[in-house]
Each structure stands twice: as C-alpha cells, then as structure tokens.
Amino acid sequence: MTDRARIVIIGGGVAGIEVATSLGRGGHADVTLADRSLSHVWKPMLHTFAAGTARVDRQKVDFFAQARRNGFRFQPGALVGIDLRSRRARLAVEAADGHPQVDLAYDLLVLAIGSRANDFGTPGVAEHCLTIDDLTEAEQFHTQLRRHLLARLDRGGMLGIAIVGGGATGVELAAELKHAINLLSAYGSPDLPERLRLTLIESGPRLLPAFPEAVSRAAARTLSDLGVAVQTNAMVTGADAAGFSLKDGSHIPAGLKVWAAGVKAPDVLASLDGLDRSRTGQLIVGPDLRTTRDPAIIALGDCASLSDPRSGKPVPATAQAARQMAQHLARHLGRALARSDAVAAELPPFHYVEKGAIVSLADFNGWGTLGRYTFGGGRLNGLSARLTHDLLYRQHQIGLYGPLRGTLTWLLDDLDRLISPTVRLD
Ligand SMILES: Cc1cc2nc3c(=O)[nH]c(=O)nc-3n(C[C@H](O)[C@H](O)[C@H](O)COP(=O)(O)OP(=O)(O)OC[C@H]3O[C@@H](n4cnc5c(N)ncnc54)[C@H](O)[C@@H]3O)c2cc1C
C-alpha cells in the first residue's frame, strides 16, 4: 500500500510518454502508463514506416523498458471505460489467463489517446481504404504496398495509389511513396517510377491549408514535378475496390487507397458518460487541461479540445502542441507533487506557442514557417526545413532517453543509414 498519489496516464504517444517519463523520474507519485500497444513510436514518422524508407525496429521505444528505467509502471491494455465515481479506468487486455479486463484506480487520470483520420461517413471508405494512424496500420499499408509492387514487378502494368487529404500527412506520404518507388526501381525494375500513378486528392482549394499560400503552391509544384497528380477542390463521394468517386462524376482508379483527411477522437471517448466533448469527439478541457466536468481527469494532445486563453484560437492537433501540453503538465504537476500538494493542486493556464509548422517532402524538399514568438517569423526552405523537421523528433527522443543516450541513438541512426538498405520491402 502506498500513500503517494496514484496517477494513471492512458496513451503513451507523443504527449503521454513524456508525462509518464518526467513524473516517473520525479519519484513523487505512483505513476502508471497504459497503452494498447507495447511500444511507442513518434507518430509523425508513420508515413516513412508505411513507405519502407525508415526502419521501425530502430525507432520503437519499448514501454516496459522505458518504465523500468524511469520509475513508472507500464500496464498493457486498451481503454474501454471509466467509472468517474469510483475513479477507475477499465482496460481490455489481451491476456492468455482468462482475465481480459483490468481496472486501474486513480487519483488523477491523464488521457492522451490521440486521434484518428475522419472519413465523415463517406460510403465505402471503411471497407476499401487504409488509414495510417498507428504502427499496426502503417505496417498493414506496407504489406499491401509490397503485394501490389510484387504483382506489378511480376506482371507489369500500372500501380495506382490514391491518397485523400492534402494536409501534412497526405503530402508527406505522397512524397515518401514517390521516394520509395524511385529507390525500389534500382531493384531490377527501372521503369517502375513511370508505372506509378499516384494521386493526391484534396477537397479544399489548396494543399497544406495550415501553411502560407506560397508554401502550398511550392509543395503542389514539387509534387507535380515528381509526377504526383494533385487534385484540389475534389470532393470524394465514395470509395470502392477500384478507386474513388468524386462529386463531379469522375472516378480515380487506384488499387491502393489511403484516407488521410480530417481528425476525430478515438471512438472510446464517445462511450464515456459525464464528460463534455467537442463536435469531433475530443474531450473539452479548460486552460488548466482538466476536463470541464471532472477535475480529476486531464486530457492532452489530439484527444483534447482547448482554445488558447490568450488568442482564443483552438490549439491544433499536432505533435508540437501535444509536446507543449505534456511539458506544461509535467513541469507544473511535478512541482506540485514535490511540494506534496494533492493532485488537485491548481495548475497554471496552458498557452500554446506557435513555433512554426514544418513539412518535409522526403529527400526532395521541405518548407517551414517559424512562429512569431520564436524567431520573429521567417521561412525555412529545402534542407534547413528537413533538418528542423528531424530535430523535433530528436528533441523528443532526447527527452525520453536523456541527453547521452538520446544523442547516441541519433548518431546510431545516422550510422545505420550508411549500412542498411535505403528502402525495404521485407
Ligand atoms: C503520418 C502522420 C504525419 C504527421 N506529421 C506531423 C508533423 O510533421 N508535425 C506535427 O506536428 N504533427 C504531425 N502529425 C500529427 C501528430 O502525429 C499528432 O498530432 C500527435 O502524435 C498527437 O500526439 P498525442 O500524444 O495526442 O497522440 P499519439 O501520438 O497519437 O498517441 C496516442 C497513444 O494512445 C494510444 N491509444 C490510442 N487509443 C488507446 C486506447 N483506447 N487505450 C490505450 N491506448 C490507446 C496509442 O497506442 C498511442 O500510443 C502527423 C500525423 C500522422 C498520422
């Protein structure tokens, strides 16, 4: 038995693993992290695993090992319910001993279970399209890509891939796939790039709507130069085995279809009674990140809906915002716990600092805008943007591993790139 506060964190993604690591290291609370997966990956890298241009095994963080090194406990399982009155989170676990559910009692529950693409109920999408919202899905995509590629290598013909969603995910995935196919053409099929018919479909008037127009134009131009068919103002009305139907009556043929548009909360949040949710299902939180109707529950990252109290603007569903929320909570809750305040201690309001947005088009190009508050505004282009994109991930890694192991991991990744294949089909 312990009299330390019981903090349960559900979801060990960009936000959750940083909070668990930091509070666990502080040693002032009994911290448990739960996740439906056994390892953490940096979600903004999923498209590289899907395309086969990055090695998953090098980038996974084993939750059990991270917990042991950093003073917290890891509990595998998927959140299926919360009893707000008795303060228990219920997890479904894949256990062989006939105990498929575990209840975790908490004094403070931190929900950081991320988000999913939103198909807005478009007919045929659930049956015929892949999404790339977690590692399992990225690996499924890779398996499908391999099957389609092997069929084309054997029998010739065109390889049709269509991606719906011209935000950063769709744009980065399109570029990464083009990059992968170019590299794969060296494996005995030099005409493979010409046999790829890759279409990027966006319902709005331009790609990358969160970026300045000049960046959207430059990204569209780079993709077009690479041979990607970019269709804007194109509303998808349905998907079938052969491709996508558009509102204007046209049909885009594609054997491999990806839905990378929209953001919505994971379905489990819809089943929780007693908490306020946004239109897209995220939990509504106040500036202290506590849910509006239950202060014993905090929501972070993509599964939280929050307007910045200073600007009044919604905090975006990005890795940058998820990290900032995690760091804010870890810092202030950590201090309160060190003073042995109850977990109900008042937390200062969270302010989102826009540090810019960066998009990286594989090895081809990259653009970024710097936030007003960091460098007085400005633009990054080409290599500098791609390096800055990488740096966000490396900062996260250093936070998880500490400066020495984090830097060594970075170095090993760079060395590995010198000896491993640049693209994999296994
Ligand atoms: C391909 C791609 C590229 C992207 N590129 C960028 C980018 O360049 N820059 C950027 O800022 N953002 C990018 N994003 C968005 C970014 O990844 C997310 O905003 C960020 O990961 C959100 O962090 P999070 O901690 O809220 O959720 P996540 O990182 O998604 O973590 C959620 C965690 O919860 C776990 N989980 C989910 N459901 C349950 C459950 N029921 N029970 C238990 N555990 C559960 C998951 O396994 C996961 O570990 C990209 C996203 C994608 C898909």
Side-chain angles (χ1 to χ4, degrees):
M1 242 351 241
T2 169
D3 55 1
R4 298 192 309 169
R6 293 161 306 176
I7 300 182
V8 171
I9 301 159
I10 315 263
V14 170
I17 197 170
E18 292 212 12
V19 175
T21 301
S22 175
L23 295 182
R25 281 180 192 155
H28 300 292
D30 182 354
V31 180
T32 303
L33 173 69
D35 200 291
R36 61 180 179 187
S37 165
L38 294 179
S39 53
H40 160 88
V41 290
W42 174 249
K43 192 173 175 183
M45 280 190 87
L46 288 180
H47 62 294
T48 62
F49 305 140
T53 48
R55 270 181 57 185
V56 183
D57 55 325
R58 289 209 52 81
Q59 308 307 330
K60 283 202 279 195
V61 179
D62 181 293
F63 281 127
F64 280 111
Q66 182 71 9
R68 193 187 67 79
R69 278 176 176 267
N70 293 284
F72 64 91
R73 198 167 76 84
F74 175 64
Q75 169 64 55
L79 178 73
V80 288
I82 303 172
D83 185 335
L84 302 184
R85 283 211 303 176
S86 68
R87 295 196 174 162
R88 284 173 180 276
R90 174 152 293 183
L91 304 177
V93 289
E94 279 181 35
D97 66 355
H99 290 92
Q101 292 203 323
V102 165
D103 280 357
L104 293 177
Y106 61 83
D107 298 305
L108 183 71
L109 179 65
V110 179
L111 294 177
I113 58 172
S115 65
R116 303 197 46 74
N118 191 351
D119 67 16
F120 308 100
T122 310
V125 172
E127 299 88 317
H128 298 290
C129 296
L130 296 166
T131 47
I132 303 187
D133 282 319
D134 58 36
L135 184 55
T136 307
E137 293 179 357
E139 293 186 323
Q140 277 164 357
F141 176 90
H142 188 70
T143 304
Q144 290 290 328
L145 177 67
R146 179 174 59 230
R147 286 192 185 138
H148 282 266
L149 273 168
L150 292 179
R152 298 288 66 82
L153 290 176
D154 263 6
R155 299 191 283 281
M158 295 298 285
L159 169 62
I161 305 179
I163 303 165
V164 176
T169 306
V171 166
E172 290 185 347
L173 178 64
E176 206 65 44
L177 285 172
K178 194 68 202 169
H179 179 50
I181 299 289
N182 287 353
L183 294 170
L184 285 166
S185 66
Y187 295 180
S189 183
D191 65 338
L192 195 58
E194 287 91 70
R195 291 198 282 124
L196 171 69
R197 188 176 48 220
L198 179 54
T199 312
L200 180 60
I201 307 165
E202 163 60 37
S203 61
R206 63 183 175 103
L207 299 182
L208 300 171
F211 285 71
E213 276 200 60
V215 172
S216 298
R217 275 198 301 275
R221 206 168 35 244
T222 302
L223 289 176
S224 298
D225 290 349
L226 290 171
V228 178
V230 176
Q231 296 217 11
T232 47
N233 292 311
M235 181 65 79
V236 173
T237 53
D240 54 38
F244 286 111
S245 306
L246 302 187
K247 197 175 172 191
D248 65 7
S250 58
H251 189 265
I252 294 176
L256 202 47
K257 296 165 285 294
V258 185
W259 191 273
V263 173
K264 68 169 185 171
D267 291 342
V268 64
L269 294 186
S271 67
L272 305 180
D273 289 332
L275 298 173
D276 291 326
R277 282 181 292 270
S278 69
R279 215 167 32 85
T280 41
Q282 282 97 343
L283 298 175
I284 299 180
V285 298
D288 59 358
L289 303 177
R290 293 184 193 272
T291 52
T292 40
R293 282 165 66 186
D294 186 343
I297 301 183
I298 281 178
L300 296 178
D302 283 10
C303 74
S305 169
L306 164 70
S307 289
D308 185 277
R310 217 154 29 196
S311 68
K313 286 190 191 159
V315 175
T318 62
Q320 194 188 131
R323 281 200 76 211
Q324 285 184 30
M325 288 188 207
Q327 287 168 347
H328 178 86
L329 179 67
R331 186 179 321 120
H332 295 290
L333 186 60
R335 279 185 199 152
L337 290 166
R339 289 196 305 265
S340 76
D341 284 5
V343 286
E346 208 173 300
L347 297 172
F350 168 76
H351 294 292
Y352 174 61
V353 179
E354 169 65 63
K355 292 187 176 165
I358 294 165
V359 63
S360 174
L361 270 63
D363 270 6
F364 304 116
N365 213 337
W367 299 273
T369 55
L370 301 179
R372 267 196 309 131
Y373 300 107
T374 45
F375 305 102
R379 296 253 174 86
L380 297 171
N381 284 300
L383 186 64
S384 59
R386 283 193 281 120
L387 292 178
T388 310
H389 194 262
D390 198 32
L391 197 62
L392 291 180
Y393 173 50
R394 298 307 177 182
Q395 285 171 337
H396 172 71
Q397 251 185 347
I398 287 172
L400 298 188
Y401 290 141
L404 180 64
R405 285 181 64 224
T407 312
L408 278 176
T409 309
W410 186 351
L411 192 68
L412 284 175
D413 281 348
D414 285 345
L415 288 176
D416 186 61
R417 260 194 282 275
L418 295 177
I419 50 173
S420 295
T422 44
V423 64
R424 49 170 276 266
L425 269 186
D426 60 326

